[in-house]
Amino acid sequence: MSTIIDGKKIAQEIKDEVKTEVLKLNDQNLFPALAVIIVGDDAASKIYVRDKKRACENTGIKSVSYELPADTTENELLHLVSRLNADYKIHGILVQLPLPQHINEDNILLAIDPKKDVDCFHPYNVGLLSVGKPQFLPGTPAGVIQLLKRSGISIAGKNCVVVGRSNIVGKPMSALLLAENGTVTTCHSKTRNLGEVTKKAEILVVAIRMPKFITADMVGEGAVVIDVGIHKIAGTKNKLCGDVDFDGVYEKTSYITPVPGGVGPMTIAMLMQNCLKAAKL
Ligand code: GUN
């Protein structure tokens, strides 16, 4: 029997903790505030931004939205970021990705004051993370660590396999597991005999952006499987699946995250933690 890790419940615990801390700051006349910028009409981005603003409301963090048209220029966006950097009432700045093609994402992320970089995407913060002295933790990978810890799963010494090497999830995920003393292998599209590597994992984190990519034959008996992917199932209206074939894999695992309701809610809870930290900074 596997245990299904309830990400919604754990995320709520974390948001409740943040709310308590926010109230303490309010008593000292400090009101944490997050600026959220979205450019264009990407449907998924709009939903993510809506959920982030909702989480702010739930935790007592003020959110200020900037919904800019798709033809906003890079310079206009840089000006807005610069204005928010200088605004002492704004503690965190989040620019929702992806940005329209004509805007260079790297230029925008570099322009955000690292002390307000609640996504932990700025190279300065990525560097701090890689030398083991982070000021912020990246939302999704830090959320995975919390799911493991709060489910009583130890990481130290375990064989951890991360499938995916994106800057947002895979790379920082490997860094955080290593910081927890896991023995970490990072796999990607060029990895040979991927299934043999994943099968040896005691903790398997999958962020490869391919629906139901990990099948039962790629998972070892008793593994902990964390699924970062989220996809609409083709031919259905609203059904979702992850990067793991949940139904096929479930029986082999000791713990597994569902999609939805696993990693997803954690990303936003960790963002709230970062907003709190930014206000304290
Ligand atoms: N797009 C997809 N995930 C994220 C995220 O965590 N932060 C931002 N800013 N954009 C995203």
Side-chain angles (χ1 to χ4, degrees):
M1 260 289 276
S2 179
T3 301
I4 297 179
I5 298 176
D6 188 345
K8 251 177 141 171
K9 182 164 157 263
I10 297 174
Q12 191 57 52
E13 276 169 28
I14 291 171
K15 284 188 281 182
D16 290 344
E17 290 162 15
V18 170
K19 190 174 182 177
T20 306
E21 289 293 309
V22 168
L23 285 172
K24 283 187 201 160
L25 291 185
N26 292 164
D27 285 342
Q28 298 163 36
N29 251 336
L30 181 57
F31 298 90
L34 171 69
V36 181
I37 304 172
I38 178 169
V39 185
D41 300 309
D42 182 74
S45 289
K46 280 185 166 177
I47 293 171
Y48 289 134
V49 163
R50 181 202 64 193
D51 291 348
K52 288 171 187 177
K53 289 196 296 192
R54 260 188 208 157
C56 282
E57 277 170 35
N58 290 337
T59 49
I61 292 169
K62 186 177 170 200
S63 71
V64 187
S65 304
Y66 296 86
E67 285 156 29
L68 307 180
D71 62 357
T72 301
T73 65
E74 188 171 313
N75 254 338
E76 285 167 333
L77 187 52
L78 286 169
H79 270 113
L80 174 58
V81 169
S82 162
R83 189 153 65 75
L84 294 167
N85 280 341
D87 185 342
Y88 74 95
K89 287 188 176 158
I90 294 292
H91 305 98
I93 302 171
L94 183 149
V95 179
Q96 186 65 28
L97 303 179
L99 289 167
Q101 293 254 317
H102 65 277
I103 299 179
N104 182 321
E105 276 180 8
D106 290 341
N107 291 345
I108 304 300
L109 297 180
L110 264 177
I112 296 173
D113 179 345
K115 284 202 159 46
K116 300 192 177 190
D117 173 35
V118 287
D119 267 323
C120 195
F121 289 168
H122 192 290
Y124 176 78
N125 283 320
V126 175
L128 285 182
L129 176 70
S130 77
V131 294
K133 294 188 170 66
Q135 69 177 346
F136 292 114
L137 295 174
T140 302
V144 170
I145 298 289
Q146 285 303 311
L147 284 179
L148 295 170
K149 286 189 170 174
R150 292 177 187 240
S151 303
I153 299 161
S154 65
I155 302 166
K158 294 249 174 84
N159 195 8
C160 304
V161 175
V162 178
V163 186
R165 57 170 160 179
S166 69
N167 288 337
I168 292 184
V169 185
K171 279 185 212 158
M173 187 72 252
S174 292
L176 289 186
L177 288 165
L178 187 60
E180 295 292 335
N181 299 310
T183 303
V184 184
T185 306
T186 309
C187 300
H188 46 78
S189 55
K190 302 281 191 297
T191 300
R192 277 181 284 126
N193 305 322
L194 179 71
E196 278 170 37
V197 182
T198 56
K199 215 169 175 173
K200 292 198 181 109
E202 295 170 275
I203 297 175
L204 177 63
V205 182
V206 192
I208 190 92
R209 292 194 214 136
M210 291 168 88
K212 301 191 185 185
F213 179 79
I214 296 289
T215 45
D217 55 314
M218 300 167 86
V219 175
E221 232 22 92
V224 174
V225 175
I226 306 289
D227 189 350
V228 178
I230 184 155
H231 313 272
K232 255 192 190 146
I233 299 179
T236 71
K237 202 166 168 221
N238 285 320
K239 277 194 114 179
L240 299 171
C241 71
D243 289 349
V244 175
D245 172 22
F246 184 94
D247 292 336
V249 164
Y250 171 81
E251 286 295 341
K252 289 186 96 172
T253 63
S254 55
Y255 290 85
I256 186 166
T257 57
V259 177
V263 174
M266 294 299 290
T267 302
I268 294 183
M270 301 317 288
L271 172 69
M272 297 300 106
Q273 257 195 3
N274 280 345
C275 292
L276 177 69
K277 202 159 190 194
K280 288 180 178 173
L281 282 178

